[in-house]
Amino acid sequence: MIYFDNAATTMKKPPQVVQAVTEALCSMGNSGRGSHDASLDASRTVFDTRVKLAELFNAENPSQIAFAANATEALNIAIKGILSSGDHVITTALEHNSVLRPLYEMEERGVELTIIPADSRGNIDYDELEKCMKADTKAIVCTHASNLTGNLVDIARVGGIAAAHNVLFVVDASQTAGVFPVDVQEMNIDILCFTGHKSLMGPQGTGGMYVREGTAVRPLLSGGSGVQTYSRRHPEQMPTALEAGTLNAHGIAGLGAAVQYIRDTGIDVIRKKEQELMCAFYEEVRVIPGIRIYGDFAAKERAPIVSLNIRDYESAAVSDALAQDYGIYTRSGGHCAPLMHQALGTVGQGAVRFSFSHYNTMEEVCLAVSALKELAESEETEEINE
Protein backbone atom coordinates (compact mmCIF):
# COMPACT_ATOMS: atom_id res chain seq x y z
CA MET A 1 0.00 0.00 0.00
CA ILE A 2 1.28 3.44 -0.99
CA TYR A 3 -0.36 6.26 0.95
CA PHE A 4 -0.67 9.63 -0.79
CA ASP A 5 -3.58 11.04 1.21
CA ASN A 6 -1.65 13.01 3.80
CA ALA A 7 -3.62 16.22 3.26
CA ALA A 8 -6.60 14.36 4.73
CA THR A 9 -4.60 12.84 7.58
CA THR A 10 -1.08 11.58 8.02
CA MET A 11 -1.47 7.85 8.43
CA LYS A 12 2.14 7.12 9.37
CA LYS A 13 2.98 8.75 12.68
CA PRO A 14 6.35 9.04 14.39
CA PRO A 15 6.87 6.12 16.81
CA GLN A 16 7.12 8.62 19.65
CA VAL A 17 3.50 9.63 19.05
CA VAL A 18 2.23 6.09 19.36
CA GLN A 19 4.28 5.55 22.50
CA ALA A 20 3.07 8.79 24.10
CA VAL A 21 -0.60 7.95 23.49
CA THR A 22 -0.16 4.41 24.78
CA GLU A 23 1.56 5.56 27.96
CA ALA A 24 -1.07 8.24 28.50
CA LEU A 25 -3.90 5.74 28.15
CA CYS A 26 -2.27 3.59 30.80
CA SER A 27 -1.46 6.29 33.33
CA MET A 28 -3.32 9.58 32.94
CA GLY A 29 -6.21 10.90 34.97
CA ASN A 30 -8.28 13.99 34.12
CA SER A 31 -6.32 17.20 33.65
CA GLY A 32 -7.34 19.89 36.14
CA ARG A 33 -9.79 17.61 37.95
CA GLY A 34 -7.78 16.54 40.96
CA SER A 35 -4.62 16.90 43.02
CA HIS A 36 -3.49 13.28 42.80
CA ASP A 37 -0.59 12.18 40.63
CA ALA A 38 -2.73 10.80 37.79
CA SER A 39 -4.51 14.13 37.36
CA LEU A 40 -1.37 16.19 37.86
CA ASP A 41 0.50 14.12 35.26
CA ALA A 42 -2.25 14.86 32.75
CA SER A 43 -2.13 18.57 33.60
CA ARG A 44 1.64 18.67 33.15
CA THR A 45 1.40 16.91 29.78
CA VAL A 46 -1.31 19.27 28.55
CA PHE A 47 0.66 22.31 29.68
CA ASP A 48 3.88 21.00 28.13
CA THR A 49 2.09 20.61 24.79
CA ARG A 50 0.75 24.17 25.09
CA VAL A 51 4.32 25.37 25.60
CA LYS A 52 5.59 23.50 22.55
CA LEU A 53 2.79 24.84 20.34
CA ALA A 54 3.27 28.38 21.65
CA GLU A 55 6.95 28.15 20.75
CA LEU A 56 6.15 26.66 17.33
CA PHE A 57 3.82 29.55 16.46
CA ASN A 58 5.68 32.24 18.45
CA ALA A 59 2.68 32.92 20.68
CA GLU A 60 3.23 35.38 23.50
CA ASN A 61 2.53 32.76 26.16
CA PRO A 62 1.16 29.18 26.41
CA SER A 63 -2.15 30.30 27.92
CA GLN A 64 -3.10 31.73 24.52
CA ILE A 65 -3.23 28.20 23.08
CA ALA A 66 -6.64 26.55 23.52
CA PHE A 67 -7.24 22.94 22.52
CA ALA A 68 -10.10 21.70 20.35
CA ALA A 69 -11.04 18.44 18.67
CA ASN A 70 -9.85 19.65 15.26
CA ALA A 71 -9.50 22.74 13.08
CA THR A 72 -13.20 22.68 12.23
CA GLU A 73 -14.15 23.12 15.88
CA ALA A 74 -11.51 25.81 16.33
CA LEU A 75 -12.73 27.71 13.26
CA ASN A 76 -16.34 27.51 14.45
CA ILE A 77 -15.29 28.90 17.83
CA ALA A 78 -13.35 31.70 16.16
CA ILE A 79 -15.87 32.70 13.51
CA LYS A 80 -18.96 32.47 15.69
CA GLY A 81 -17.10 33.98 18.62
CA ILE A 82 -15.95 37.22 17.00
CA LEU A 83 -18.70 38.09 14.49
CA SER A 84 -22.07 39.69 15.23
CA SER A 85 -24.98 40.98 13.17
CA GLY A 86 -23.95 44.15 11.36
CA ASP A 87 -20.29 43.12 10.99
CA HIS A 88 -18.59 42.69 7.63
CA VAL A 89 -16.15 39.81 7.04
CA ILE A 90 -13.90 38.94 4.10
CA THR A 91 -12.82 35.46 3.02
CA THR A 92 -11.59 33.76 -0.18
CA ALA A 93 -12.73 31.16 -2.69
CA LEU A 94 -9.86 28.93 -1.58
CA GLU A 95 -11.58 28.04 1.67
CA HIS A 96 -12.57 24.66 3.06
CA ASN A 97 -16.13 24.19 4.23
CA SER A 98 -14.79 24.48 7.80
CA VAL A 99 -14.55 28.19 7.04
CA LEU A 100 -17.34 28.63 4.50
CA ARG A 101 -20.20 26.95 6.33
CA PRO A 102 -19.75 28.82 9.64
CA LEU A 103 -19.50 32.05 7.62
CA TYR A 104 -22.69 31.22 5.72
CA GLU A 105 -24.39 30.62 9.08
CA MET A 106 -23.23 34.00 10.32
CA GLU A 107 -24.42 35.59 7.07
CA GLU A 108 -27.89 34.26 7.85
CA ARG A 109 -27.61 35.97 11.24
CA GLY A 110 -26.93 39.38 9.73
CA VAL A 111 -23.19 39.37 8.98
CA GLU A 112 -22.19 40.76 5.57
CA LEU A 113 -19.88 38.35 3.73
CA THR A 114 -17.47 39.17 0.90
CA ILE A 115 -15.68 36.33 -0.89
CA ILE A 116 -12.54 37.16 -2.90
CA PRO A 117 -12.64 35.06 -6.09
CA ALA A 118 -9.85 32.83 -7.34
CA ASP A 119 -8.55 32.72 -10.91
CA SER A 120 -8.24 29.59 -13.04
CA ARG A 121 -4.92 28.73 -11.37
CA GLY A 122 -6.39 29.03 -7.90
CA ASN A 123 -4.84 32.37 -6.90
CA ILE A 124 -6.45 35.44 -5.33
CA ASP A 125 -5.90 39.13 -6.08
CA TYR A 126 -4.52 40.79 -2.93
CA ASP A 127 -5.30 44.27 -4.27
CA GLU A 128 -8.92 43.21 -4.67
CA LEU A 129 -8.93 42.02 -1.06
CA GLU A 130 -7.75 45.40 0.16
CA LYS A 131 -10.33 47.18 -2.01
CA CYS A 132 -13.08 45.21 -0.24
CA MET A 133 -12.20 46.63 3.17
CA LYS A 134 -15.00 48.72 4.68
CA ALA A 135 -15.56 50.82 7.79
CA ASP A 136 -17.53 47.97 9.40
CA THR A 137 -15.15 45.16 8.37
CA LYS A 138 -14.55 43.09 11.50
CA ALA A 139 -12.26 40.34 10.21
CA ILE A 140 -10.46 38.62 7.37
CA VAL A 141 -10.67 34.81 7.51
CA CYS A 142 -8.53 32.80 5.14
CA THR A 143 -6.59 29.61 4.68
CA HIS A 144 -2.81 29.47 4.59
CA ALA A 145 -2.85 26.87 1.79
CA SER A 146 -5.56 25.42 -0.43
CA ASN A 147 -6.26 21.78 0.39
CA LEU A 148 -7.12 21.24 -3.29
CA THR A 149 -4.35 22.98 -5.25
CA GLY A 150 -1.65 23.38 -2.60
CA ASN A 151 -1.33 27.09 -3.48
CA LEU A 152 -0.09 29.16 -0.55
CA VAL A 153 -1.73 32.40 0.51
CA ASP A 154 0.72 35.15 1.46
CA ILE A 155 -0.61 35.41 4.99
CA ALA A 156 2.10 37.89 5.99
CA ARG A 157 0.77 40.22 3.29
CA VAL A 158 -2.86 39.64 4.27
CA GLY A 159 -1.92 40.11 7.92
CA GLY A 160 -0.37 43.45 7.00
CA ILE A 161 -3.59 44.52 5.27
CA ALA A 162 -5.63 43.47 8.31
CA ALA A 163 -3.33 45.32 10.71
CA ALA A 164 -3.37 48.47 8.56
CA HIS A 165 -7.17 48.53 8.70
CA ASN A 166 -7.38 47.45 12.34
CA VAL A 167 -9.42 44.32 11.65
CA LEU A 168 -8.99 40.82 13.06
CA PHE A 169 -7.07 38.26 11.05
CA VAL A 170 -8.10 34.59 11.38
CA VAL A 171 -5.97 31.94 9.66
CA ASP A 172 -6.82 28.31 8.89
CA ALA A 173 -3.44 26.54 9.10
CA SER A 174 -4.81 23.02 8.64
CA GLN A 175 -2.53 22.27 5.68
CA THR A 176 0.56 24.13 6.86
CA ALA A 177 1.01 23.86 10.64
CA GLY A 178 4.00 21.60 11.16
CA VAL A 179 5.47 21.96 7.68
CA PHE A 180 5.61 25.74 7.04
CA PRO A 181 6.83 28.28 9.59
CA VAL A 182 3.97 30.26 11.11
CA ASP A 183 4.86 33.28 13.25
CA VAL A 184 1.69 34.84 14.64
CA GLN A 185 3.54 37.98 15.74
CA GLU A 186 5.40 38.65 12.52
CA MET A 187 2.38 37.77 10.36
CA ASN A 188 -0.11 39.82 12.42
CA ILE A 189 -2.33 36.82 13.06
CA ASP A 190 -4.97 37.34 15.74
CA ILE A 191 -6.42 33.83 15.70
CA LEU A 192 -4.66 30.79 14.27
CA CYS A 193 -6.66 27.56 13.92
CA PHE A 194 -4.87 24.25 13.45
CA THR A 195 -5.49 20.53 13.48
CA GLY A 196 -3.21 17.94 15.00
CA HIS A 197 -3.67 15.01 12.62
CA LYS A 198 -2.22 16.40 9.39
CA SER A 199 1.24 17.93 9.06
CA LEU A 200 1.60 18.16 12.83
CA MET A 201 1.52 14.33 12.73
CA GLY A 202 -0.49 13.95 15.91
CA PRO A 203 -3.57 11.82 16.60
CA GLN A 204 -6.99 12.51 15.15
CA GLY A 205 -9.25 14.33 17.60
CA THR A 206 -6.59 16.93 18.42
CA GLY A 207 -6.15 20.52 17.35
CA GLY A 208 -6.78 23.97 18.66
CA MET A 209 -6.29 27.68 18.25
CA TYR A 210 -4.02 30.53 19.18
CA VAL A 211 -5.83 33.69 20.31
CA ARG A 212 -3.90 36.94 20.65
CA GLU A 213 -4.02 38.53 24.09
CA GLY A 214 -6.84 41.05 24.26
CA THR A 215 -8.86 39.43 21.45
CA ALA A 216 -12.38 38.74 22.69
CA VAL A 217 -13.86 35.42 21.53
CA ARG A 218 -17.28 34.32 22.75
CA PRO A 219 -17.09 30.67 23.87
CA LEU A 220 -19.02 28.20 21.74
CA LEU A 221 -19.50 25.89 24.74
CA SER A 222 -19.77 26.27 28.49
CA GLY A 223 -19.64 23.73 31.28
CA GLY A 224 -17.13 22.00 33.47
CA SER A 225 -13.72 23.58 33.70
CA GLY A 226 -12.23 22.36 36.98
CA VAL A 227 -12.12 25.93 38.33
CA GLN A 228 -14.67 28.52 39.55
CA THR A 229 -17.20 25.76 40.19
CA TYR A 230 -19.65 28.03 42.04
CA SER A 231 -19.84 30.69 39.35
CA ARG A 232 -22.94 30.69 37.14
CA ARG A 233 -20.80 31.71 34.19
CA HIS A 234 -18.00 29.87 32.46
CA PRO A 235 -14.51 31.25 33.32
CA GLU A 236 -13.35 34.06 31.05
CA GLN A 237 -9.59 33.65 31.29
CA MET A 238 -7.66 31.84 28.59
CA PRO A 239 -7.35 29.02 27.82
CA THR A 240 -10.17 27.80 30.10
CA ALA A 241 -12.63 30.17 28.43
CA LEU A 242 -12.54 28.09 25.22
CA GLU A 243 -12.06 24.62 26.72
CA ALA A 244 -15.31 23.51 28.34
CA GLY A 245 -15.33 19.86 29.40
CA THR A 246 -12.68 17.17 29.63
CA LEU A 247 -9.79 17.59 27.22
CA ASN A 248 -8.49 14.78 25.03
CA ALA A 249 -5.35 14.55 27.15
CA HIS A 250 -4.38 11.19 25.67
CA GLY A 251 -4.42 12.66 22.18
CA ILE A 252 -2.74 15.85 23.40
CA ALA A 253 0.08 13.71 24.78
CA GLY A 254 0.55 12.32 21.28
CA LEU A 255 0.38 15.80 19.78
CA GLY A 256 3.07 17.00 22.16
CA ALA A 257 5.31 14.11 21.11
CA ALA A 258 4.63 14.93 17.45
CA VAL A 259 5.60 18.59 17.88
CA GLN A 260 8.78 17.49 19.64
CA TYR A 261 9.53 15.17 16.70
CA ILE A 262 9.10 18.11 14.30
CA ARG A 263 11.46 20.21 16.41
CA ASP A 264 14.05 17.44 16.59
CA THR A 265 13.84 16.62 12.87
CA GLY A 266 13.60 20.21 11.69
CA ILE A 267 10.60 21.78 10.02
CA ASP A 268 12.77 22.91 7.11
CA VAL A 269 14.07 19.37 6.62
CA ILE A 270 10.52 17.99 6.57
CA ARG A 271 9.28 20.64 4.15
CA LYS A 272 12.25 20.17 1.79
CA LYS A 273 11.67 16.42 1.57
CA GLU A 274 7.96 16.79 0.93
CA GLN A 275 8.47 19.42 -1.75
CA GLU A 276 11.14 17.34 -3.45
CA LEU A 277 8.71 14.43 -3.69
CA MET A 278 5.92 16.68 -4.92
CA CYS A 279 8.10 18.37 -7.54
CA ALA A 280 9.46 15.07 -8.84
CA PHE A 281 5.92 13.73 -9.17
CA TYR A 282 4.65 16.90 -10.85
CA GLU A 283 7.47 17.07 -13.40
CA GLU A 284 6.74 13.51 -14.50
CA VAL A 285 2.94 13.57 -14.64
CA ARG A 286 2.55 17.00 -16.23
CA VAL A 287 3.85 15.65 -19.56
CA ILE A 288 1.58 12.58 -19.63
CA PRO A 289 -0.97 13.03 -22.43
CA GLY A 290 -4.51 13.29 -21.14
CA ILE A 291 -3.60 14.47 -17.63
CA ARG A 292 -4.60 17.91 -16.43
CA ILE A 293 -3.06 19.37 -13.26
CA TYR A 294 -4.62 22.14 -11.17
CA GLY A 295 -2.92 24.95 -9.28
CA ASP A 296 -0.01 27.33 -9.65
CA PHE A 297 3.25 25.42 -9.86
CA ALA A 298 5.27 28.47 -10.82
CA ALA A 299 5.29 29.38 -7.13
CA LYS A 300 8.55 28.48 -5.42
CA GLU A 301 6.91 27.22 -2.25
CA ARG A 302 3.59 25.42 -2.04
CA ALA A 303 1.91 22.77 0.05
CA PRO A 304 2.91 19.24 -1.06
CA ILE A 305 -0.26 18.61 -3.07
CA VAL A 306 -0.84 17.71 -6.72
CA SER A 307 -4.45 17.44 -7.88
CA LEU A 308 -5.22 16.13 -11.36
CA ASN A 309 -7.67 14.47 -13.69
CA ILE A 310 -7.33 12.03 -16.57
CA ARG A 311 -9.30 13.41 -19.50
CA ASP A 312 -12.99 13.42 -18.59
CA TYR A 313 -12.99 10.35 -16.35
CA GLU A 314 -14.69 10.66 -13.00
CA SER A 315 -12.12 11.39 -10.32
CA ALA A 316 -13.66 8.77 -8.02
CA ALA A 317 -13.27 6.09 -10.67
CA VAL A 318 -9.61 6.98 -11.22
CA SER A 319 -8.92 7.02 -7.49
CA ASP A 320 -10.63 3.63 -7.11
CA ALA A 321 -8.55 2.19 -9.96
CA LEU A 322 -5.35 3.46 -8.34
CA ALA A 323 -6.32 1.83 -5.05
CA GLN A 324 -7.64 -1.48 -6.34
CA ASP A 325 -5.17 -2.12 -9.16
CA TYR A 326 -2.01 -0.49 -7.82
CA GLY A 327 -2.44 -0.17 -4.06
CA ILE A 328 -2.08 3.63 -4.28
CA TYR A 329 -4.33 5.60 -1.94
CA THR A 330 -5.44 9.09 -2.98
CA ARG A 331 -8.43 11.38 -2.40
CA SER A 332 -11.03 12.14 -5.03
CA GLY A 333 -14.17 14.25 -5.26
CA GLY A 334 -14.88 17.73 -3.98
CA HIS A 335 -12.44 17.87 -1.03
CA CYS A 336 -14.87 20.10 0.92
CA ALA A 337 -13.71 22.99 -1.27
CA PRO A 338 -16.73 23.91 -3.43
CA LEU A 339 -15.71 27.42 -4.49
CA MET A 340 -12.24 26.27 -5.47
CA HIS A 341 -13.74 23.62 -7.75
CA GLN A 342 -15.96 26.29 -9.31
CA ALA A 343 -12.89 28.39 -10.07
CA LEU A 344 -11.08 25.40 -11.59
CA GLY A 345 -14.10 24.18 -13.55
CA THR A 346 -14.12 20.77 -11.85
CA VAL A 347 -17.43 20.79 -9.99
CA GLY A 348 -18.85 17.79 -11.86
CA GLN A 349 -15.64 15.81 -12.19
CA GLY A 350 -13.91 16.55 -8.93
CA ALA A 351 -10.18 15.88 -8.84
CA VAL A 352 -7.73 13.18 -7.78
CA ARG A 353 -5.47 14.56 -5.06
CA PHE A 354 -1.98 13.25 -4.32
CA SER A 355 -0.59 14.68 -1.07
CA PHE A 356 2.87 13.85 0.20
CA SER A 357 4.51 13.21 3.56
CA HIS A 358 8.21 13.14 4.31
CA TYR A 359 7.63 9.46 5.13
CA ASN A 360 6.92 8.82 1.44
CA THR A 361 9.78 7.77 -0.83
CA MET A 362 10.96 8.53 -4.34
CA GLU A 363 10.33 4.89 -5.22
CA GLU A 364 6.66 5.36 -4.29
CA VAL A 365 6.53 8.48 -6.47
CA CYS A 366 7.93 6.51 -9.42
CA LEU A 367 5.36 3.77 -8.94
CA ALA A 368 2.54 6.33 -8.86
CA VAL A 369 3.81 7.98 -12.04
CA SER A 370 3.96 4.59 -13.74
CA ALA A 371 0.40 3.79 -12.67
CA LEU A 372 -0.91 7.08 -14.03
CA LYS A 373 0.86 6.50 -17.33
CA GLU A 374 -0.80 3.13 -17.65
CA LEU A 375 -4.22 4.51 -16.78
CA ALA A 376 -3.87 7.43 -19.17
CA GLU A 377 -2.46 5.40 -22.07
CA SER A 378 -4.22 2.07 -21.81
CA GLU A 379 -7.36 1.40 -23.83
CA GLU A 380 -8.75 -0.11 -20.63
CA THR A 381 -9.30 3.39 -19.29
CA GLU A 382 -12.37 3.49 -21.47
CA GLU A 383 -13.89 1.17 -18.87
CA ILE A 384 -13.04 3.32 -15.84
CA ASN A 385 -16.37 5.11 -15.83
CA GLU A 386 -18.43 1.96 -16.50
Side-chain angles (χ1 to χ4, degrees):
M1 183 268 291
I2 298 174
Y3 187 83
F4 285 137
D5 195 18
N6 294 283
T9 194
T10 51
M11 188 187 68
K12 187 172 183 180
K13 309 293 185 184
Q16 300 93 314
V17 174
V18 178
Q19 181 180 355
V21 173
T22 302
E23 291 178 356
L25 285 167
C26 295
S27 64
M28 274 191 188
N30 198 331
S31 174
R33 282 9 179 229
S35 58
H36 49 75
D37 287 344
S39 176
L40 293 174
D41 285 346
S43 296
R44 294 186 188 103
T45 298
V46 169
F47 179 75
D48 181 63
T49 304
R50 282 194 218 279
V51 171
K52 290 174 180 175
L53 288 165
E55 292 173 351
L56 182 67
F57 300 134
N58 193 28
E60 51 268 40
N61 66 68
S63 67
Q64 299 310 119
I65 302 291
F67 289 109
N70 42 54
T72 298
E73 182 178 18
L75 285 161
N76 271 264
I77 293 170
I79 291 168
K80 296 174 182 179
I82 63 172
L83 296 176
S84 301
S85 179
D87 290 336
H88 173 236
V89 61
I90 300 172
T91 192
T92 80
L94 279 65
E95 307 308 314
H96 189 278
N97 274 335
S98 306
V99 169
L100 293 175
R101 285 175 172 167
L103 285 175
Y104 293 150
E105 286 184 43
M106 297 309 293
E107 188 177 32
E108 292 173 357
R109 301 178 193 177
V111 171
E112 182 185 358
L113 173 62
T114 297
I115 301 175
I116 305 301
D119 61 23
S120 60
R121 300 175 72 185
N123 292 319
I124 62 168
D125 184 337
Y126 296 96
D127 292 335
E128 180 66 21
L129 188 153
E130 185 150 25
K131 289 177 184 176
C132 290
M133 300 295 296
K134 301 167 60 175
D136 59 354
T137 302
K138 181 67 174 292
I140 300 171
V141 184
C142 78
T143 187
H144 190 184
S146 166
N147 73 314
L148 177 56
T149 65
N151 292 2
L152 288 181
V153 172
D154 187 347
I155 56 173
R157 182 174 179 179
V158 179
I161 294 171
H165 291 270
N166 196 30
V167 304
L168 296 174
F169 184 31
V170 181
V171 174
D172 174 8
S174 296
Q175 294 296 334
T176 56
V179 68
F180 283 91
V182 177
D183 187 323
V184 296
Q185 308 301 331
E186 184 178 311
M187 297 172 172
N188 294 300
I189 298 171
D190 296 291
I191 301 177
L192 179 77
C193 300
F194 58 91
T195 195
H197 68 99
K198 298 188 181 187
S199 293
L200 283 174
M201 293 182 281
Q204 294 180 2
T206 63
M209 58 197 300
Y210 155 79
V211 179
R212 183 179 298 280
E213 287 185 353
T215 301
V217 179
R218 294 186 301 271
L220 189 65
L221 303 173
S222 60
S225 62
V227 296
Q228 300 180 21
T229 294
Y230 299 103
S231 172
R232 293 168 62 96
R233 300 182 61 85
H234 193 76
E236 296 181 356
Q237 70 269 27
M238 284 287 290
T240 310
L242 304 181
E243 292 182 342
T246 293
L247 293 173
N248 177 14
H250 304 123
I252 291 170
L255 179 59
V259 176
Q260 186 61 50
Y261 170 83
I262 292 169
R263 291 169 57 173
D264 293 342
T265 305
I267 193 170
D268 294 338
V269 172
I270 291 171
R271 183 173 65 260
K272 181 180 178 183
K273 172 70 178 298
E274 292 181 356
Q275 293 193 328
E276 285 175 350
L277 294 169
M278 173 198 65
C279 289
F281 178 79
Y282 168 74
E283 291 297 333
E284 291 292 328
V285 299
R286 72 183 181 88
V287 297
I288 298 175
I291 286 186
R292 181 176 181 182
I293 298 173
Y294 305 97
D296 183 4
F297 285 82
K300 182 178 179 181
E301 286 200 326
R302 57 193 328 284
I305 291 170
V306 179
S307 292
L308 54 83
N309 277 315
I310 300 177
R311 292 191 283 280
D312 61 348
Y313 300 127
E314 293 181 5
S315 61
V318 173
S319 189
D320 286 347
L322 286 167
Q324 295 170 12
D325 299 339
Y326 300 94
I328 298 171
Y329 292 3
T330 58
R331 169 82 184 274
S332 64
H335 309 87
C336 303
L339 301 185
M340 192 75 266
H341 277 285
Q342 288 179 21
L344 300 175
T346 51
V347 170
Q349 189 178 16
V352 182
R353 184 183 68 190
F354 290 76
S355 49
F356 303 89
S357 163
H358 74 296
Y359 279 121
N360 288 125
T361 66
M362 200 61 73
E363 180 182 6
E364 291 175 332
V365 167
C366 292
L367 289 170
V369 171
S370 177
L372 285 171
K373 285 181 179 178
E374 290 185 10
L375 287 174
E377 296 170 0
S378 172
E379 292 181 359
E380 294 178 3
T381 54
E382 298 298 331
E383 302 174 2
I384 289 179
N385 283 333
E386 295 180 1

